[in-house]
Amino acid sequence: MNNTTKWKIEGKEFDSRLMIGSALYPSPKIMEDAIKASGSQIVTVALRRQAAGESGDNPFWELIKELDITVLPNTAGCHTAKEAITTAMMAREVFGTNWIKLEVIGNQYNLQPDPFALVEATNVLIKEGFRVFPYMTDDLVLAHKLADVGCTTLMPWGSPIGSGRGLMNPYNLKTIRQQFPELQLIVDAGIGKPSDAIEAMELGFDGVLLNSAVALAQEPVVMAEAFKHAIYAGRLSYEAGVMQKRDMASPSTPTVGTPFWHQFK
Amino acid sequence: MTISVNGELKIFETQTLTVQKLLEEMNFGSGIAVALNEEFVLRATYKETNINEGDRLDILSPVQGG
């Protein structure tokens, strides 16, 4: 079991088990402050078309670089394996990292990943030297297929991106955890509040990736700090081992020496 | 020749054009990545990568992401 002080994932070591997105914040300043408050050392970024003539510095990218954190580029918006592979290669050149959060969307309504295209793209990218963080559904067989092609990290969703619905199917997540004790598992997407993150960590997940839950909070910086503590608490809870539930009450105060009041028979 | 740059049609008064030349003419800066007809183009090959009539170029740069 990993200890709470350090987290090793894909060849790097971190203090925080929170991975945070850089989108949807009310302002760049709030994004910067929220990232700092979260304690996260891994931030997701993306690529989009640049307008011609924007030859100067990219303020967003300059800000992220100044934070001196690890970036995890994504392939958001890709709908085919080919699109995702090309985007990953472009991201590797621009961001200077072989890490890629691989998203291949299969359904526009709930942004559900396409499991077939995901495995296809993962297979190619791992052979190209990428460290793939696949955004996936909580499907056990898909987890097997991704592990078979070489993934050492899996990122099943809690619920659809940006929905804030928490963990829709804790049983599936728990099963993946049980079946893949050697892999790094991260709940990615759907986290709405800190207690959702705690639930994920108490299931034994190694980390949580979220964005909207912080960026869309009324006070993003405060919420970022709330998640920092939640994920730490959830990890400690998992390592400590939660007590077994019981059907009957059991007094915590000693019963020996109970004085004069009523005794149940 | 007419080519598509980031989804917009552009006309160039030349018969020979490379990725490098196009980026310079359109004043694209550093910190970008290029795909030609949805295939990634290594930065080191911009000078020798020719663009032909009807090609589609995507020029991407970092943005916020989740």
Side-chain angles (χ1 to χ4, degrees):
Chain A
M1 184 186 299
N2 293 314
N3 63 41
T4 48
T5 52
K6 292 289 181 186
W7 180 32
K8 287 181 183 170
I9 180 165
E10 298 296 338
K12 294 186 179 182
E13 194 171 82
F14 302 95
D15 297 314
S16 170
R17 292 169 177 273
L18 170 58
M19 304 160 83
I20 195 165
S22 57
L24 302 174
Y25 294 89
S27 73
K29 172 66 175 161
I30 292 175
M31 178 197 76
E32 179 184 4
D33 290 347
I35 290 172
K36 288 177 179 173
S38 76
S40 175
Q41 296 157 302
I42 304 172
V43 174
T44 53
V45 292
L47 284 176
R48 285 292 179 266
R49 285 170 167 172
Q50 187 188 53
E54 290 180 1
S55 58
D57 288 339
N58 178 327
F60 165 73
W61 182 223
E62 294 303 316
L63 182 55
I64 292 293
K65 282 193 285 190
E66 283 174 15
L67 290 173
D68 193 25
I69 45 180
T70 295
V71 293
L72 175 59
N74 69 30
T75 62
C78 292
H79 286 75
T80 65
K82 181 175 170 53
E83 288 175 5
I85 292 165
T86 299
T87 304
M89 291 185 170
M90 297 171 87
R92 180 163 62 178
E93 190 175 72
V94 169
F95 295 109
T97 177
N98 64 350
W99 281 23
I100 192 74
K101 175 185 165 179
L102 189 61
E103 295 183 46
V104 191
I105 299 304
N107 182 284
Q108 201 56 33
Y109 175 70
N110 64 358
L111 300 179
Q112 183 166 333
D114 178 336
F116 309 102
L118 184 65
V119 174
E120 181 186 347
T122 299
N123 194 23
V124 171
L125 290 171
I126 285 179
K127 287 174 181 164
E128 289 283 340
F130 282 86
R131 299 270 195 156
V132 176
F133 294 65
Y135 167 60
M136 58 183 284
T137 50
D138 52 17
D139 185 292
L140 181 61
V141 177
L142 175 57
H144 277 288
K145 299 290 184 189
L146 289 166
D148 286 347
V149 297
C151 282
T152 52
T153 296
L154 300 178
M155 301 208 298
W157 67 357
S159 50
I161 295 170
S163 69
R165 301 179 69 84
L167 309 186
M168 288 189 303
N169 200 331
Y171 171 81
N172 279 9
L173 296 173
K174 189 175 179 181
T175 305
I176 293 172
R177 175 73 286 174
Q178 288 170 338
Q179 294 287 307
F180 296 97
E182 74 284 8
L183 298 187
Q184 293 297 309
L185 298 182
I186 297 159
V187 167
D188 175 15
I191 298 291
K193 55 189 185 300
S195 53
D196 298 332
I198 293 177
E199 185 181 5
M201 297 305 289
E202 286 183 335
L203 288 174
F205 271 65
D206 298 288
V208 168
L209 198 166
L210 56 88
N211 190 158
S212 303
V214 167
L216 301 184
Q218 293 185 23
E219 296 287 348
V221 181
V222 178
M223 187 59 85
E225 186 168 3
F227 271 105
K228 171 185 175 179
H229 295 299
I231 287 164
Y232 186 64
R235 182 64 190 182
L236 286 178
S237 171
Y238 173 68
E239 291 188 6
V242 177
M243 66 166 280
Q244 293 294 312
K245 285 182 181 175
R246 293 184 288 213
D247 290 333
M248 299 289 289
S250 177
S252 48
T253 303
T255 52
V256 175
T258 302
F260 43 80
W261 52 74
H262 179 74
Q263 300 285 315
F264 285 105
K265 294 181 179 176
Chain B
M1 71 176 78
T2 302
I3 61 172
S4 165
V5 180
N6 283 344
E8 291 184 18
L9 292 179
K10 300 285 181 186
I11 298 170
F12 292 86
E13 302 297 331
T14 175
Q15 295 307 308
T16 57
L17 189 63
T18 63
V19 170
Q20 177 78 25
K21 188 73 177 162
L22 179 139
L23 294 176
E24 288 170 4
E25 286 201 10
M26 294 193 69
N27 202 24
F28 279 101
S30 58
I32 56 165
V34 174
L36 178 59
N37 300 325
E38 297 180 27
E39 298 286 348
F40 170 58
V41 181
L42 265 172
R43 188 177 294 143
T45 65
Y46 287 173
K47 283 182 182 171
E48 61 257 36
T49 302
N50 292 313
I51 298 172
N52 299 305
E53 173 73 29
D55 278 351
R56 288 169 289 118
L57 224 70
D58 280 285
I59 299 157
L60 309 188
S61 62
V63 297
Q64 300 86 340

